[in-house]
Amino acid sequence: PFVVNEGDSKYAVLPDERSVLSVSIEFDHPLIGRQFASHEVASDAFAREVCPARTFGFYQDAEKLRAIGLAHGADTQNTVVLTADGLYEGVELRFADEFVRHKILDLAGDLALLGHRIQAQIVAERPGHRGNVEVVKAIAEQIRRKKLARRVDINEIFHILPHRSILYRPHPRRKLLDEISVMDHCQHRALEGPHRLLELGPAQALLQVLGPV
């Protein structure tokens, strides 16, 4: 588990067998206030209860956004338009907590940048796209570290050692060597100190067997 903080956005990423997004938001507006919702991404209910949730914005900000090239495709079918104390004329909520559901949808969409399904519960307080991307980066770094930290048993190394010969491919700047027979050399080095090999880490043990190349 780990946490990510980005401005007012706070996240906790916890191991879980499922993929669960739990989000809290708070806005100083009579229709929003403080809202919380939690949904499992892979469930059938997610498509039914989260995906229809629309983004939201204030009517008084519409012209400012259009002036800088944003929100040109916004309408009441894809946006919950708010006034200072309610909904813009003709707008109806699909869910009473549509606002927090859309924040869950935003988070799910940004997590898709990973290119993998995650097994975790992410608890988010006031999430935003900037913070969501930082969570994606943090998860990607955790995955990278886990791959680098993979430990290999010494028996696994001996299992994959060739019985007769190997084709050694060195760094591109070095000359490609022809097939090198290492059977006798491996046997000799292994017999020198089998107990010593078991005391070494996998990489060091392999070097002890093969010798410098």
Side-chain angles (χ1 to χ4, degrees), residues 139-151:
I139 294 174
E141 177 63 16
Q142 291 287 326
I143 294 173
R144 186 188 71 83
R145 289 181 180 181
K146 187 175 182 179
K147 288 181 178 179
L148 290 177
R150 178 178 178 269
R151 303 179 70 88

Side-chain angles (χ1 to χ4, degrees), residues 91-131:
V91 177
E92 294 183 1
L93 292 177
R94 294 174 179 171
F95 312 97
D97 60 350
E98 186 168 0
F99 309 97
V100 71
R101 296 190 193 205
H102 181 76
K103 288 294 186 178
I104 291 177
L105 187 60
D106 278 345
L107 180 55
D110 291 333
L111 287 170
L113 293 171
L114 280 169
H116 303 280
R117 289 186 179 274
I118 63 168
Q119 289 183 299
Q121 178 167 182
I122 299 179
V123 181
E125 173 74 21
R126 298 183 180 182
H129 286 294
R130 187 184 299 274

Side-chain angles (χ1 to χ4, degrees), residues 129-194:
H129 286 294
R130 187 184 299 274
N132 295 350
V133 171
E134 291 305 313
V135 171
V136 169
K137 291 179 181 178
I139 294 174
E141 177 63 16
Q142 291 287 326
I143 294 173
R144 186 188 71 83
R145 289 181 180 181
K146 187 175 182 179
K147 288 181 178 179
L148 290 177
R150 178 178 178 269
R151 303 179 70 88
V152 181
D153 185 85
I154 186 65
N155 293 319
E156 183 177 348
I157 292 178
F158 282 115
H159 178 72
I160 64 175
L161 281 175
H163 296 293
R164 297 184 180 275
S165 62
I166 62 169
L167 181 64
Y168 173 60
R169 297 184 181 277
H171 190 279
R173 292 182 179 177
R174 296 176 58 185
K175 182 179 179 182
L176 179 64
L177 301 181
D178 293 328
E179 191 173 82
I180 302 173
S181 176
V182 296
M183 180 60 182
D184 293 339
H185 184 59
C186 285
Q187 290 178 336
H188 175 71
R189 295 298 291 273
L191 290 174
E192 279 185 338

Side-chain angles (χ1 to χ4, degrees), residues 29-30 57-60 81-89:
H29 189 277
F58 290 92
Y59 176 75
Q60 58 265 34
V81 182
L82 296 165
T83 63
D85 56 1
L87 293 170
Y88 184 71
E89 183 179 357

Side-chain angles (χ1 to χ4, degrees), residues 21-62:
L21 305 182
S22 302
V23 170
S24 298
I25 62 171
E26 188 168 3
F27 287 88
D28 185 16
H29 189 277
L31 289 180
I32 306 177
R34 183 165 181 82
Q35 296 184 352
F36 169 81
S38 181
H39 288 270
E40 183 177 352
V41 177
S43 67
D44 293 336
F46 191 87
R48 185 174 62 253
E49 299 177 6
V50 178
C51 291
R54 297 162 293 176
T55 189
F56 55 95
F58 290 92
Y59 176 75
Q60 58 265 34
D61 295 331

